[in-house]
């Protein structure tokens, strides 16, 4: 944990600043705190592996006790849910290996960890829309500086989009320690991670961020009114240059396989009424991205069409400059490295390689089948071109494969 994160952190219960308990156990790496205890007027919160845990779930209490006893190893085990110790060994061996991949760690976390589909996140339709919208809003909001936060950001796939745009490192907040840990190691290296509960007041100062985003999670939040007012409070910068983006939240008027507790469009709009919200249908946004390579925030989806959408995106900002149409660009240089999309299988054909799209399961097909609209069923590329991967610039002969997302810019050591 970088020391300047303390300027942003506030206790979710008393609202007080958090300070490192210098008399307790502290494990540092230079100025950064790896393990230690944060105190406020009312609580003590553990920092484990550089991640402050600002909630009071049982695992956090156990981790704090382990730190009091000088055992950061057991604190980490508690936060990963390995309190029994039975299957911690396999995970800890993977975590200790510098060559371990995101996929290795997810496998070592066991079948109960909902990591399976996250391997394919970078080309699923939900991500395509969220990434395009967040990228467009962030470019406008953060052009003159300012910081962004990704709330309920999971293992950091969208936080990654904010890395080059947020002046100070973007903050990733999520309830699940394992996801924040994965993000900091693989998906969004350099981000600041915080564990907190989206159903409680968010543990940050007023106006700490110009942009607050939440993707594919708002329908799982029960205290939606509190969450909306907290997202607005976090971005109360004192000027117009601020925005909240809630992307991919389910529509209560339509069936969804993993519905959560969705609201109808007008209820979502009411929750953000104080900051000029505009609502968009995710299918309408996806059409624009696929057919026109544009993310168009200048035309909100009309109410009758919005009602028919399964998922919605809310963009709320007092700055009208946010509501514009922008081109969706194809990267020519990788943030990580260009690799074959893990949804594709290779078959040798002489000097060529035939790449074929394979969905990992019927469930994936049902939820993300719209990916077939832009991912080709098959593509043939020269073996020599494919052999140039991994690469940091697009290899000659793979320009079309990158444009079609058969070859993608992935985090280092992703799979
Ligand atoms: Zn407190």
């Amino acid at each position: 944990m970088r020391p300047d994160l303390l300027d942003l952190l506030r206790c979710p219960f008393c609202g007080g600043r958090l300070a490192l308990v210098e008399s307790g156990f502290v494990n540092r790496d230079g100025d950064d705190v790896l393990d230690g205890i944060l105190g406020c007027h009312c609580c003590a919160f553990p920092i484990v592996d550089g991640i402050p845990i600002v909630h009071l779930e049982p695992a956090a209490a156990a981790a704090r006790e382990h730190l009091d006893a000088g055992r950061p190893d057991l604190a980490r085990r508690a936060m990963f849910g390995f309190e029994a110790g039975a299957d911690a060994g396999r995970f800890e061996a993977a975590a200790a290996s510098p060559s371990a991949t995101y996929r290795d760690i997810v496998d070592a976390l066991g079948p109960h960890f909902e990591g399976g589909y996250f391997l394919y996140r970078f080309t699923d339709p939900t991500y395509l829309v969220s990434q395009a919208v967040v990228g467009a809003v962030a470019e406008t909001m953060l052009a003159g500086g300012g910081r962004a936060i990704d709330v309920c950001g999971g293992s950091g796939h969208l936080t990654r989009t904010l890395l080059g745009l947020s002046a100070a490192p973007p903050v990733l907040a999520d309830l699940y320690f394992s996801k924040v840990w994965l993000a900091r190691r693989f998906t969004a290296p350099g981000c600041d991670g915080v564990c907190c509960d989206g159903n409680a007041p968010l543990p940050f100062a007023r106006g700490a961020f110009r942009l607050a985003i939440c993707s594919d999670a708002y329908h799982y939040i029960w205290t939606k009114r509190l969450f909306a007012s907290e997202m607005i409070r976090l971005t109360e910068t004192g000027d117009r240059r601020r925005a909240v983006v809630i992307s991919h939240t389910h529509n209560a008027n339509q069936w969804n396989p993993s519905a959560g507790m969705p609201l109808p469009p007008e209820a979502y709009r009411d929750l953000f009424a104080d900051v000029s919200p505009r609502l968009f249908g995710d299918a309408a946004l996806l059409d624009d991205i696929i057919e026109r390579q544009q993310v168009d925030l200048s035309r909100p989806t009309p109410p009758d069409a919005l009602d028919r959408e399964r998922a919605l995106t809310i963009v709320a900002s007092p700055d009208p400059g946010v509501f514009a149409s922008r081109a969706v660009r194809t990267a020519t240089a990788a943030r990580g490295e260009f690799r074959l999309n893990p949804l594709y299988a290779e078959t040798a054909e002489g000097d060529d390689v035939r790449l074929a799209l394979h969905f990992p399961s019927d469930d994936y097909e049902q939820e993300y089948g719209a990916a077939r609209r832009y991912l080709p069923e098959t593509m043939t590329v020269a073996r020599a071109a494919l052999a140039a991967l991994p690469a940091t610039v697009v290899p000659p002969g793979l320009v079309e494969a990158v444009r079609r997302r058969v070859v993608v810019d992935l985090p280092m050591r992703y799979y």
Side-chain angles (χ1 to χ4, degrees):
M1 189 195 79
R2 276 180 272 259
D4 63 356
L5 191 62
L6 288 177
D7 294 337
L8 309 186
L9 286 177
R10 297 291 182 276
C11 172
F13 309 109
C14 72
R17 282 179 168 269
L18 303 179
L20 189 67
V21 180
E22 297 283 358
S23 59
F25 177 85
V26 183
N27 178 21
R28 281 191 167 86
D29 176 15
D31 288 340
D32 296 349
V33 177
L34 294 181
D35 306 284
I37 305 280
L38 291 170
C40 59
H41 304 297
C42 71
C43 291
F45 300 105
I47 304 167
V48 176
D49 261 8
I51 301 167
I53 295 131
V54 197
H55 61 62
L56 302 175
E57 299 276 309
R64 202 191 65 227
E65 286 169 17
H66 288 310
L67 290 176
D68 283 340
R71 292 296 304 271
D73 55 330
L74 297 182
R76 183 166 87 162
R77 203 175 274 187
M79 287 315 301
F80 274 106
F82 288 118
E83 194 65 285
D87 38 10
R90 183 175 164 228
F91 165 77
E92 284 168 0
S97 165
S99 62
T101 64
Y102 175 92
R103 179 183 238 168
D104 292 338
I105 302 276
V106 165
D107 286 349
L109 284 168
H112 58 281
F113 182 72
E114 52 159 325
Y117 294 165
F118 284 98
L119 189 65
Y120 312 106
R121 175 105 274 200
F122 287 111
T123 55
D124 78 39
T126 302
Y127 179 81
L128 241 60
V129 170
S130 296
Q131 198 254 357
V133 171
V134 164
V137 175
E139 276 185 27
T140 309
M141 277 302 112
L142 305 175
R147 198 166 193 169
I149 184 167
D150 183 0
V151 184
C152 308
S155 55
H157 290 75
L158 267 183
T159 319
R160 185 173 178 81
T161 296
L162 300 168
L163 281 176
L165 298 168
S166 184
V171 174
L172 165 63
D174 199 275
L175 180 61
Y176 297 99
F177 179 84
S178 49
K179 295 183 183 179
V180 177
W181 189 94
L182 278 165
R184 279 166 51 81
R185 175 150 168 177
F186 296 101
T187 333
C191 79
D192 283 325
V194 176
C195 276
C196 62
D197 183 356
N199 285 294
L202 297 174
F204 303 99
R206 181 182 304 274
F209 305 96
R210 284 207 184 277
L211 173 61
I213 69 169
C214 171
S215 180
D216 201 0
Y218 195 33
H219 41 257
Y220 299 122
I221 301 281
W222 171 242
T223 53
K224 289 187 183 62
R225 181 178 171 181
L226 173 67
F227 188 85
S229 63
E230 282 293 89
M231 294 290 271
I232 293 168
R233 182 183 65 83
L234 260 47
T235 54
E236 274 175 5
T237 51
D239 59 44
R240 288 204 315 188
R241 209 153 55 81
R242 62 194 182 103
V244 175
V245 176
I246 306 291
S247 72
H248 196 85
T249 187
H250 295 156
N251 179 2
N253 293 340
Q254 297 293 331
W255 180 84
N256 193 291
S258 49
M261 301 162 283
L263 298 178
E266 62 274 16
Y268 284 125
R269 189 191 312 274
D270 286 348
L271 285 168
F272 291 91
D274 292 345
V275 277
S276 311
R278 295 195 195 181
L279 270 63
F280 304 86
D282 274 25
L285 290 167
L286 185 64
D287 286 347
D288 274 345
I289 293 166
I290 296 173
E291 288 157 22
R292 302 197 298 131
Q293 289 77 52
Q294 292 279 320
V295 55
D296 190 353
L297 302 180
S298 70
R299 296 177 300 131
T301 309
D304 55 332
L306 210 53
D307 246 21
R308 293 192 297 271
E309 290 268 0
R310 276 168 62 175
L312 311 169
T313 289
I314 307 159
V315 179
S317 175
D319 184 345
V322 164
F323 300 104
S325 184
R326 278 188 174 68
V328 176
R329 287 185 291 272
T330 303
T332 51
R335 174 169 292 284
E337 54 190 11
F338 287 109
R339 303 267 312 268
L340 185 64
N341 184 333
L343 287 171
Y344 282 84
E346 304 175 41
T347 311
E349 283 185 348
D351 288 340
D352 292 336
V353 177
R354 184 172 178 274
L355 304 170
L357 178 64
H358 284 288
F359 284 161
S361 67
D362 290 343
D363 283 351
Y364 186 92
E365 172 103 43
Q366 188 183 4
E367 192 154 2
Y368 301 116
R372 290 197 192 278
R373 291 182 60 196
Y374 48 87
L375 294 177
E377 287 298 318
T378 62
M379 179 179 264
T380 300
V381 298
R383 177 192 303 278
L386 203 62
L389 301 181
T392 52
V393 294
V394 180
L398 292 181
V399 174
E400 181 65 5
V402 169
R403 194 185 68 77
R404 301 294 305 273
R405 302 183 173 89
V406 176
V407 168
V408 280
D409 174 8
L410 295 176
M412 306 293 277
R413 302 188 313 281
Y414 191 56
Y415 74 93

